[in-house]
Amino acid sequence: MDFETGYQMTIGGRGVSGAASIDVFNPATAEVFANAPDCSRAELDEAVATASAAFPAWKAMPIEERQALLRKCGEALLTHTEALARLFTREQGRPTDAAKQEIQGGAAWLISFSQMTPPVHLEETDTRWIETRYVPLGVVCAISPWNFPVMLSMWKVAAALAAGNTMVLKPSPFTPLCVLKVGEIFREILPPGVLNVISGGDELGVWMTSHPGFAKISFTGSTATGKKVMESASKDLKRLTLELGGNDAAIVMPDVDLDEIAQKIFFGAFFNTAQICVATKRLYVHEDVYEGLRDRLLGIAKAIKVGDGAEQGTVLGPIQNKRQYARVLELLEDAKKTGLTVLQGADVPEGGYFIPVTIVDNPPEDSRVVQEEAFGPILPMLRFKDVDEVIARANASEYGLAGAVWSKDVKAGIDIARRMETGTIWVNQNLELGPNTPFAGHKQSGFGVENGMEGLLEFMVPQVVNVAR
Ligand code: NAD
């Protein structure tokens, strides 16, 4: 298969080039290197119609057969890991070794969901026999963002298809290519119409969420867009899963071993150039270890190479797109203009969307860099003295996605974790997500659940058969 050219949509099991196209940029050079189809309304209608036509047979297929096909999809991704990872670096910017982990992660999700079977509950009395089982919803609309384009798309594909739904999937206009190629790979495996992959601008997302042919929307992206998606879904009561923004706090207690945790904390904040929904975005550090941790983090920031992910030795790539680059630069300018202490790591190349790793040294709690989700390499470090006070500061956010606690006293760490108002809290680690563990944002970070049995059941509804005896 050619991964360098020929990016087509998959509609009804066929490759569709589309009449119009969108440009795809390499963020390391800020230059266009490929085009993707710009899906028309008629092509969207066709995708929904073929997904709808494929639904009855896919739903009726014995679950073991569906599971076997999903496993094959996972295995097929693994055979194409190298080529997909190279393409991933060009469109997304992340260094190729780390890009491989994303493709392998997508495969792991497909394979794990191929082993998940929804429960059936029986209730029997002298007078009744009641069976509750779960049935799929119909055609699912899946919309994914640019920061983890393959992985977050596969979270949706794995769970929705395992549950017996069919799907129309739209990746971000900034990163459509790998997901289009995944659609092409799966064309050989899945029955036509079960998985349709289309590409286009944000407008296509609007057409999709208001399309009457969908039974459910599974959306990952910003909180602002999530609210629009919810409004659109309300028109015909489409089911919804929203995985949205976060402003995750990490709390570092005074008993930590700084040499042991500094690298982990650094990459928990800056991996993927800090473009991770569950990255540490506010780092609260006890005053006894504040300077020690700050100096170590800055040391790492000065030692690593930020550059083109296709080059040997690059650890962090560019910001993924021009819009996000402008937003992060503006936030950085605001920090400098308002007199905050800004500490920066190694110099970055010119030409692409590069920003040096930046630590903001103990800014006020109400500064923009603390209050807003940067989604770029600007990390505010904040000093604290008292545990109750720091938990209150960590919780004073409209978001509630994830967080972390660092302490040698694991029991104390768990106690703090339980007081945090987020869906996931890590103790002495971060960024650990898995196909069998539910992932659900609290507050304005989300609505519904992905992953685990809860994630599978989000793509199903209970159906009760109640028999008189
Ligand atoms: P975004 O909301 O701009 O776009 C996400 C997707 O929605 C894209 O495919 C886009 O084309 C589409 N879209 C845009 N406007 C739309 C509309 N009005 N209706 C329907 N679809 C529309 O988000 P982004 O900039 O791609 O991603 C970054 C954000 O995503 C960050 O806030 C990040 O925290 C969040 N995110 C959350 C998770 C999570 O699991 N909670 C994971 C990754 C990213």
Side-chain angles (χ1 to χ4, degrees), residues 193-425:
V194 167
L195 176 65
N196 303 275
V197 184
I198 59 177
S199 55
D202 289 349
E203 190 63 16
L204 176 60
V206 178
W207 298 343
M208 288 172 80
T209 58
S210 56
H211 198 293
F214 289 111
K216 170 168 179 119
I217 303 170
S218 178
F219 172 85
T220 302
S222 64
T223 296
T225 309
K227 289 177 185 175
K228 292 183 196 160
V229 171
M230 192 165 189
E231 194 179 338
S232 191
S234 73
K235 305 280 186 305
D236 42 14
L237 278 189
K238 292 183 180 80
R239 266 69 184 160
L240 261 187
T241 303
L242 301 175
E243 292 293 355
L244 307 176
N247 197 11
D248 293 357
I251 297 175
V252 182
M253 298 300 285
D255 63 350
V256 292
D257 177 341
L258 290 176
D259 289 324
E260 202 185 302
I261 66 165
Q263 284 268 347
K264 294 178 189 165
I265 290 187
F266 183 88
F267 287 104
F270 294 110
F271 179 67
N272 201 34
T273 316
Q275 303 163 114
I276 309 187
C277 53
V278 291
T280 294
K281 293 173 185 149
R282 295 176 289 152
L283 181 60
Y284 291 98
V285 186
H286 191 275
E287 59 179 9
D288 291 356
V289 288
Y290 183 92
E291 275 80 15
L293 183 57
R294 183 195 61 200
D295 296 348
R296 281 169 178 79
L297 294 180
L298 200 58
I300 301 169
K302 289 195 164 142
I304 58 160
K305 177 176 166 184
V306 179
D308 186 337
E311 283 172 16
Q312 277 292 327
T314 299
V315 176
L316 298 178
I319 299 285
Q320 199 282 320
N321 59 72
K322 194 175 178 181
R323 188 178 76 188
Q324 186 62 17
Y325 179 60
R327 200 190 115 59
V328 179
L329 275 185
E330 196 273 320
L331 203 57
L332 186 57
E333 280 314 305
D334 179 79
K336 288 179 180 166
K337 235 178 26 218
T338 50
L340 305 182
T341 307
V342 171
L343 311 169
Q344 290 195 314
D347 291 343
V348 296
E350 288 181 2
Y353 306 135
F354 293 104
I355 292 183
V357 171
T358 304
I359 292 167
V360 185
D361 194 1
N362 203 28
E365 195 70 33
D366 63 357
S367 55
R368 281 185 58 202
V369 77
V370 180
Q371 292 300 318
E372 294 180 22
E373 178 188 37
F375 221 61
I378 307 182
L379 177 69
M381 272 187 81
L382 302 126
R383 204 183 265 275
F384 79 89
K385 233 189 215 167
D386 174 73
V387 179
D388 291 336
E389 168 230 318
V390 78
I391 294 173
R393 286 163 76 188
N395 286 339
S397 170
E398 67 191 19
Y399 295 114
L401 197 56
V405 185
W406 299 85
S407 172
K408 272 198 179 148
D409 182 344
V410 173
K411 190 185 164 305
I414 293 173
D415 286 346
I416 295 171
R418 288 186 173 144
R419 294 173 63 192
M420 286 170 79
E421 297 168 357
T422 64
T424 300
I425 306 100

